[in-house]
Amino acid sequence: MPHTVEWKVRLYLFEEEGTTKARVVLDTGTTELTGHGAAHRNPADMDVPEIGDELAAGRALHDLGRQLVNVAERDIEGIGAAAAGRRDHPETGWPLPDQMQGG
């Protein structure tokens, strides 16, 4: 059965005195998660705002991704499936990327 949903993501960037902060908000319609990231420019480095934006946004997205994986793992355990990271029952649950590659 096909399953299609749309999740909305908003990314906010703030820069102040050599520090760029990012906040990314994911709204699934039933859940809202927020990731945070920051980038700090060395005063000796050239001021290139795009680099701070990229680093802070990437770090916020990474934080959000970690949170999503944690929520999924709790949901998997909540329905009685084996935890995704357990190797004693690899046929149940969803495998981690290293398990899919034989690692």
Side-chain angles (χ1 to χ4, degrees), residues 78-99:
I79 62 169
R86 290 182 52 184
R87 299 200 185 260
D88 57 339
H89 293 93
E91 71 281 358
T92 60
W94 284 262
L96 294 173
D98 67 326
Q99 291 172 323

Side-chain angles (χ1 to χ4, degrees), residues 25-40:
V25 180
L26 170 67
D27 181 357
T28 70
T30 58
T31 302
E32 190 172 285
L33 296 173
T34 302
H36 299 276
H40 309 281

Side-chain angles (χ1 to χ4, degrees), residues 11 15-16 18 20 22 25 38 49 67 77 81 85 92 94 97:
L11 177 64
E15 185 172 346
E16 185 176 301
T20 303
V25 180
Q67 291 179 51
E77 290 174 1
T92 60
W94 284 262

Side-chain angles (χ1 to χ4, degrees), residues 11 13-15 20-22 39 48-58:
L11 177 64
L13 295 163
F14 312 90
E15 185 172 346
T20 303
K21 294 181 181 179
V48 182
E50 294 82 10
I51 295 172
D53 292 349
E54 292 163 352
L55 283 170

Side-chain angles (χ1 to χ4, degrees), residues 43-90:
D45 290 342
M46 184 182 343
D47 186 13
V48 182
E50 294 82 10
I51 295 172
D53 292 349
E54 292 163 352
L55 283 170
R59 290 171 177 161
L61 289 165
H62 185 267
D63 181 41
L64 179 64
R66 181 190 50 76
Q67 291 179 51
L68 279 169
V69 169
N70 289 341
V71 168
E73 288 175 346
R74 283 193 306 272
D75 289 347
I76 290 167
E77 290 174 1
I79 62 169
R86 290 182 52 184
R87 299 200 185 260
D88 57 339
H89 293 93

